[in-house]
Amino acid sequence: MAEKLRVEGVSKSFPSRGGTLSVLEHIDLSVADGEIVVIVGHSGCGKSTLLKNIAGLERPTSGSITLDGTPITAPGPDRTMIFQEHRLLPWMTIIDNVAFGLQGLPKAERLETARHYLDLVGLSEFERAYPAQLSGGMSQRAAIARALATKPEVLLLDEPFGALDVLTKMDLQDEILNVRECEATTMVMVTHDIDEAVYLADRIVVMSNRPGKIEEIVPVELGRPRERGSADFAWYTKRILNHFLKPREKKFDYVI
Ligand SMILES: Nc1ncnc2c1ncn2[C@@H]1O[C@H](COP(=O)(O)OP(=O)(O)O)[C@@H](O)[C@H]1O
Ligand SMILES: [Mg+2]
């Protein structure tokens, strides 16, 4: 498949107490068009920083990031980020929230687009509701609809389901796969949930502790829909988990 996103030799450091804090070190990652890449790693290893650099919200200290071969130097409509909190505007209805990013288009077209994406995420009946009237899972669906309405080429998801209960989370994971099916959107997602990574990812990127480097990239060669209870699924979760266990706990056997 064609390459969509390329992260090449990206390092990032921040000034810190007179010195510098190295957060990312020489990250190389190529993401194919329509691929779902999921990043896992310890808290503080630089996952959000990497997404922010791809989003153009921050600039790498060295290295480059390109989208379809064009360097990313600022935020743009071709990339949208989804966060753990939905960040909907509380004084607007759900449909107005979703249509909000479509300023400049005629009102009828904005509403039609917003309805299309609310329908895609199963929220058609709630377009007149306000964010406070929705559950956490529904709000996150609305946030996904809002992100998709601007038709981004790359969706950047930073622990989007981290605050949801496990059953809601499973529904939303299927929603993500449905979005990929319908819209062919390329996705880079950060999670601390290894099951989620194995369920969703075409490839899983395992990052080391800060300064974050790529320890391993694991292609998940399981068909879809994936069976969370299957032995093959468990093989992948163990394989990823092994990166995070202390030596004495590394008792899982697997064959590469
Ligand atoms: N703008 C910033 N200025 C200074 N330090 C930062 C900034 N953003 C992130 N950091 C630091 O970089 C490290 C990695 O942060 P982050 O990317 O949020 O980690 P993760 O998402 O993997 O938990 C943390 O130590 C954090 O404090
Ligand atoms: Mg983070």
Side-chain angles (χ1 to χ4, degrees):
M1 241 193 284
E3 180 180 74
K4 179 52 97 183
L5 196 65
R6 177 190 285 259
V7 177
E8 212 167 359
V10 163
S11 299
K12 176 74 180 173
S13 48
F14 293 106
S16 158
R17 285 199 216 120
T20 55
L21 179 74
S22 176
V23 172
L24 294 173
E25 218 169 84
H26 209 89
I27 303 290
D28 286 323
L29 179 66
S30 169
V31 181
D33 197 8
E35 191 179 22
I36 301 180
V37 166
V38 179
I39 301 170
V40 297
H42 275 289
S43 184
C45 76
K47 304 180 297 297
S48 296
T49 302
L50 179 57
L51 284 196
K52 283 183 207 157
N53 277 268
I54 297 172
L57 296 167
E58 281 175 7
R59 301 291 309 279
T61 309
S62 59
S64 70
I65 307 179
T66 54
L67 194 145
D68 288 330
T70 306
I72 289 172
T73 54
D78 47 13
R79 287 149 287 138
T80 308
M81 209 153 158
I82 297 181
F83 303 91
Q84 184 165 324
E85 348 59 76
H86 54 71
R87 302 192 181 185
L88 298 169
L89 300 171
W91 60 88
M92 282 188 187
T93 60
I94 296 304
I95 191 160
D96 286 342
N97 264 284
V98 174
F100 186 68
L102 306 173
Q103 311 283 350
L105 295 174
K107 178 135 200 223
E109 194 178 321
R110 289 169 56 198
L111 292 180
E112 191 188 327
T113 303
R115 281 204 179 94
H116 169 80
Y117 287 102
L118 283 173
D119 190 33
L120 181 74
V121 301
L123 277 186
S124 300
E125 289 166 41
F126 296 90
E127 63 171 59
R128 292 280 144 217
Y130 285 87
Q133 297 171 302
L134 301 188
S135 66
M138 289 157 83
S139 303
Q140 217 43 330
R141 281 176 193 273
I144 293 170
R146 181 186 51 184
L148 292 175
T150 58
K151 300 193 173 65
E153 294 181 39
V154 180
L155 207 51
L156 302 166
L157 304 115
D158 195 356
E159 306 199 19
F161 311 141
L164 303 177
D165 67 86
V166 68
L167 298 179
T168 306
K169 198 192 256 203
M170 290 194 311
D171 281 345
L172 271 284
Q173 289 163 358
D174 283 328
E175 206 59 71
I176 288 295
L177 295 176
N178 184 40
V179 164
R180 198 253 296 259
E181 196 76 9
C182 297
E183 306 285 315
T185 315
T186 307
M187 302 192 205
V188 183
M189 176 177 187
V190 168
T191 184
H192 55 253
D193 179 338
I194 291 172
D195 278 351
E196 178 164 275
V198 175
Y199 190 69
L200 292 179
D202 296 313
R203 286 183 302 148
I204 300 175
V205 174
V206 181
M207 283 178 64
S208 69
N209 282 349
R210 201 183 63 223
K213 297 186 200 113
I214 294 182
E215 265 188 21
E216 192 185 8
I217 298 182
V218 180
V220 183
E221 284 156 357
L222 296 173
R224 298 185 190 271
R226 292 181 177 164
E227 270 185 73
R228 297 175 202 266
S230 72
D232 288 346
F233 194 99
W235 185 89
Y236 278 102
T237 52
K238 284 176 185 174
R239 170 151 179 197
I240 301 300
L241 200 53
N242 249 2
H243 278 276
F244 303 106
L245 297 177
K246 297 184 189 82
R248 67 183 163 77
E249 292 173 300
K250 285 196 178 176
K251 51 188 172 226
F252 296 124
D253 290 328
Y254 61 84
V255 181
I256 297 179

